[in-house]
């Protein structure tokens, strides 16, 4: 479907299917091993977190610091905060990005 809309790349994140614990967190990435060329380039993203030592958003590939310095994100929680009209913390989303999202009455697809 994304290819039909002109996309050349498709980002597949952790728990991309998002149906609770029915699939394991990287099942949506592994399914591409069984598929032939779809004419769109899949890009597999790891989990992201805020690292207190790095002082930025990172993942386990680029951050050498221990887990106790990491703050995990929840996409569901971030959406809930934005839908309630509040700006997520600056550690989890740039304020200028949050402000743009907050200009929309309903920024998420239902
Ligand atoms: Zn770090």
């Amino acid at each position: 479907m994304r290819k039909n809309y002109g996309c050349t790349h498709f980002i597949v994140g952790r728990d991309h299917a998002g149906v609770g614990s029915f699939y394991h967190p990287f099942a949506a990435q592994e399914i591409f091993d069984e598929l032939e060329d779809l004419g769109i380039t899949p890009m597999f993203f790891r989990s992201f977190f805020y690292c207190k030592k790095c002082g930025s958003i990172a993942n386990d590939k680029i951050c050498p610091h221990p887990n106790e310095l990491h703050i995990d994100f929840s996409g569901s929680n971030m959406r809930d905060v934005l839908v309630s009209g509040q700006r997520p913390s600056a550690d989890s989303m740039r304020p200028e990005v949050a402000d743009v999202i907050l200009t929309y009455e309903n920024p998420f697809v239902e």
Side-chain angles (χ1 to χ4, degrees):
M1 183 177 79
R2 291 172 195 233
K3 178 182 168 188
N4 291 342
Y5 278 100
C7 295
T8 57
H9 292 73
F10 176 43
I11 295 172
V12 185
R14 181 191 175 279
D15 198 24
H16 199 95
V19 288
S21 59
F22 189 78
Y23 298 106
H24 70 83
F26 294 97
Q29 296 181 358
E30 293 172 1
I31 192 83
F32 282 85
D33 294 339
E34 302 170 19
L35 303 173
E36 296 179 17
D37 181 15
L38 299 174
I40 189 168
T41 304
M43 298 176 66
F44 306 119
F45 278 30
R46 298 163 180 254
S47 299
F48 291 91
F49 48 79
Y50 180 83
C51 174
K52 295 175 186 175
K53 187 78 170 182
C54 291
S56 64
I57 295 173
N59 64 38
D60 62 346
K61 191 173 181 181
I62 61 173
C63 168
H65 305 114
N67 288 342
E68 51 268 21
L69 295 173
H70 300 162
I71 299 171
D72 289 323
F73 297 115
S74 161
S76 298
N77 288 346
M78 199 172 297
R79 280 189 295 276
D80 290 346
V81 169
L82 288 163
V83 166
S84 75
Q86 299 176 22
R87 187 195 284 169
S89 72
D91 292 345
S92 60
M93 180 178 285
R94 291 183 185 169
E96 60 269 28
V97 172
D99 289 344
V100 170
I101 294 171
L102 289 170
T103 63
Y104 292 90
E105 184 176 332
N106 184 6
F108 302 104
V109 176
E110 295 180 10

